[in-house]
Amino acid sequence: MKINFANLITGFRLLAIPLCVFFFYLPFEWCRKAAALIFAAAAISDFFDGYIARKFDQMTPFGAFLDPVADKLIVAVALVLIVDTDGRWMMAIIAAIIIGREITVSALREWMAGQQASSTVAVSMVGKIKTTFQLIGLSFMLWGDTLWGLPIEEMGFIALLIAAAMTLWSMWIYLHAAWPTLRRGL
């Protein structure tokens, strides 16, 4: 296994998961903010690991495996933390949509790779925009308070509503693109 800077950044995202959970549940006023900042740093690092891997030719099979795992784990854990403390039934629906889509699209990509058709379900621009709304929304909701008088938590909830809608849209795009191959497999 080749360790490089891009893989170390991905590893930071994995390390951020237990740190985020730890700070989120500490009984001090500043701790949710610390969890939000750790999550936000991990979210930003997702851009850099891929950029560095491509720019400096540090792409590895291990990194290609670990990067999406780290992305999905940190998002799923953040959603669980928020559902645990938010109390709105709509937040549970949003979490189910986002996590369900991730499982569905991951399985679809794996199946399509087995059919030598993985380019059919490559990451789309809708998926990237969805991820941006999702990461901002999760960061804001983990913050759990106002910031400079702005209702950050409510802004995060709205961003997650938008992300959930885009999640369904992007899943439909992937399934629609894969449908001819899926139909042949019936």
Side-chain angles (χ1 to χ4, degrees):
M1 173 178 68
K2 183 178 176 182
I3 299 293
N4 58 43
F5 191 58
N7 288 348
L8 287 175
I9 294 172
T10 302
F12 160 73
R13 277 207 320 286
L14 289 171
L15 178 63
I17 295 168
L19 286 174
C20 194
V21 172
F22 176 75
F23 280 103
F24 188 82
Y25 285 114
L26 282 178
F28 307 109
E29 184 178 322
W30 57 270
C31 289
R32 277 194 66 168
K33 293 168 182 60
L37 292 173
I38 291 167
F39 179 86
I44 291 167
S45 78
D46 183 30
F47 166 77
F48 289 108
D49 66 354
Y51 174 78
I52 289 169
R54 287 184 297 278
K55 176 86 173 161
F56 298 104
D57 195 28
Q58 294 185 355
M59 294 168 43
T60 65
F62 181 70
F65 159 74
L66 198 59
D67 180 63
V69 169
D71 296 346
K72 286 161 185 41
L73 280 176
I74 198 162
V75 165
V77 168
L79 284 165
V80 168
L81 294 175
I82 292 166
V83 167
D84 182 45
T85 57
D86 185 76
R88 287 178 274 197
W89 63 268
M90 184 56 107
M91 193 59 235
I93 300 295
I94 290 169
I97 288 170
I98 291 172
I99 293 170
R101 180 263 189 203
E102 292 304 330
I103 292 168
T104 303
V105 171
S106 292
L108 178 66
R109 284 188 176 132
E110 185 177 335
W111 188 80
M112 293 294 283
Q115 303 298 309
Q116 283 74 46
S118 57
S119 64
T120 306
V121 287
V123 176
S124 71
M125 185 54 68
V126 173
K128 290 180 182 186
I129 295 168
K130 177 267 313 173
T131 299
T132 301
F133 274 100
Q134 183 175 280
L135 296 176
I136 290 169
L138 289 169
S139 296
F140 284 11
M141 289 202 71
L142 287 170
W143 185 268
D145 201 357
T146 60
L147 178 65
W148 301 311
L150 295 173
I152 293 297
E153 189 172 11
E154 286 307 308
M155 292 167 63
F157 183 76
I158 292 166
L160 283 177
L161 277 173
I162 294 167
M166 293 188 80
T167 291
L168 293 172
W169 181 21
S170 71
M171 185 172 67
W172 184 87
I173 289 170
Y174 292 129
L175 289 170
H176 180 73
W179 180 245
T181 305
L182 287 168
R183 196 174 63 215
R184 282 194 302 270
L186 294 177

